[in-house]
Amino acid sequence: MTTPSPTADTGAELLPIATPARTRAALRTLIRPDRGLALTGLGILVAATAVGLLVQPLLGRIVDIVADGRPAGDLTLPVVLLIAVAVVQGLTTTLGLTRIARLGETVLARLRERFVERALYLPADRLERAGAGDLTARVTGDVARVAEAVRSALPEMARSVLAILLTLGALALLDVRFLLAALLAVPVQLLTARWYVRRALTLYADQRVANGAQQQQLLETIGGAVTVRGHRLEEQHTERSAGRSRKAVDLTMRSVNLVLGFYGRLHIAEYIGLAAVLIAGFWLVRDGAVSIGTATAAALYFHSLFGPVNAALVLLDDAQSAAAGLARLVGVTDLAEQPEPTAGKAAPVSVPQQRTVSSEAAVTVHEVSHAYGPGRPVLHEVSLTLKADEHVALVGTSGAGKSTLARIVAGVQQPTTGTVTAPAGTGEASVVLVTQEVHVFTGSLAEDLRLARPDATDADLRTALSTVHALDWAEALPDGLATVVGEGGHRLDPARAQQLALARLVLADPALAVLDEATAEAGSAGARVLERSAEAALAGRTALVVAHRLTQAVAADRVVVLEAGRVVESGPHDELRDADGPYAALWRAWSGSRATTAPHP
């Protein structure tokens, strides 16, 4: 269960945040596979803490020996025992904390894997509404905060809680009146913890949202720097970035003030408790109920609680911050989960359930509609059939719904209503989508290609590159297929990056290929080369091509025209061009613009 999506001051509909109950349930699920490791580590820490509690009675024994004027030789045994306690406690504590730390790292790795896995399946429109900043803040800041808590707070919290419980038990064994005196500090500590927790969770959640809005603004400003400069909007964007930064700083300062108040209240509790134990010791020693050594041990026991009590309460700061980050991560993983279809009812419209697999390489889109929110329809009951090995060009004006339909056919977008019958592939991928936004992953060119087929040989890679007319430039790179590309490596221009994406498509060998303006980023110089590459990559497979240039429509077996989210025409290029309908108007406009911009001889 998640809370409704908050809305940042950017106007974006942020991704949801899991409720505390759902967050705890997700945490239990993450820990369950390693229950044995958790119990073993906890048991060792209990033993280590119990051994450490022998220090105070031994010191009290030394005090009694000195107070009674006994021979110096009587000090030998307690001193030797103190050394033994230190060694045993050090070894067992190290072992226990190591196992707890291993548990934390294992759970953290599992959380990261699950987050990345689920985030990849988030609906594209949902990510667009949230903005890149929100997801970026979660995958960076929130994961880092949870990781920090797992590596430092979790082991220390486990150790501190055990020390508190066992030390209170030891005080009761000395004399129950020492325990009662020590407990006078508890009301102040509990009120302090309650005061802090009630304020911290909301504050840290707001801080994470503010950081997400800040990152979103920075991403938009930097990503659109050319446009910002072109329209002389530098001051506006700078002020907007500064405003969101100020909000994030204000929330950070509020959290600092909250922590300072937290510490101040804890010091008051320490003073009350220690004063009460010392007074109790004074009265008990005066009445002969306990020895000076026992009273000393009691005072040392309570003083030894300063560290673990303060650590446990102070770690609430890390715990609350980590809990807020974990709730945001769980919110994303829950959003990506797909509900199971109920018996006797139609399956919900989602990527896994709404797509059925056909044994033939054909696609059927049946009455698909989609809206990006209330009152924002994009597609209206679109029905479309692609025959085996047929190449269909999807054309229309901007905003007609071409890219949305392409993503739905590819299975990366969830339609509001309708069904899609997808083809069965010869490999793992039955459908591959190639868009104009191609990412070149960091690594060697060979590794980038093998993302599509990990078992591909070098010969397979060269064949795929040759198919899309990219082998010559690939082998001309400084280290050939071993050349490092991507961030920090050899830079590939847009045309070569698209050829790389098309080569991955060839390696994946899907039954259906969907190209969403995959040649649009190349510019006029590289457009013809990319069109040849795309035509070669699509040979022998069913294809849906969102045509940026109508030359792609000319080469297609059939042209489908979208207008305001509806199919208004369908047929071969020549037939539609001569029909004087919407496609003919598009063709005349496109042909006229090309004639106008063509260079004069």
Side-chain angles (χ1 to χ4, degrees), residues 433-457:
L433 170 68
V434 180
T435 70
Q436 61 181 336
E437 298 174 356
V438 175
H439 183 73
V440 179
F441 294 87
T442 301
S444 70
L445 182 65
E447 291 171 343
D448 206 307
L449 288 166
R450 286 194 176 97
L451 291 171
R453 203 173 91 205
D455 62 346
T457 64

Side-chain angles (χ1 to χ4, degrees), residues 217 475 513:
Q217 180 61 44
E475 291 187 330

Side-chain angles (χ1 to χ4, degrees), residues 39 110 175 259 343 374 393 414 420 508 544 549 578:
L39 293 175
R110 192 174 294 124
D175 193 294
V259 171
Q414 302 179 33
V420 177
L544 178 66
R549 292 175 173 81
D578 298 336

Side-chain angles (χ1 to χ4, degrees), residues 57-97:
L58 290 172
L59 290 175
R61 179 63 176 167
I62 291 174
V63 169
D64 283 337
I65 291 173
V66 174
D68 294 342
R70 297 178 189 176
D74 291 352
L75 295 174
T76 304
L77 179 59
V79 170
V80 171
L81 290 175
L82 280 174
I83 295 173
V85 166
V87 173
V88 173
Q89 185 185 26
L91 292 175
T92 52
T93 299
T94 300
L95 180 59
L97 290 178

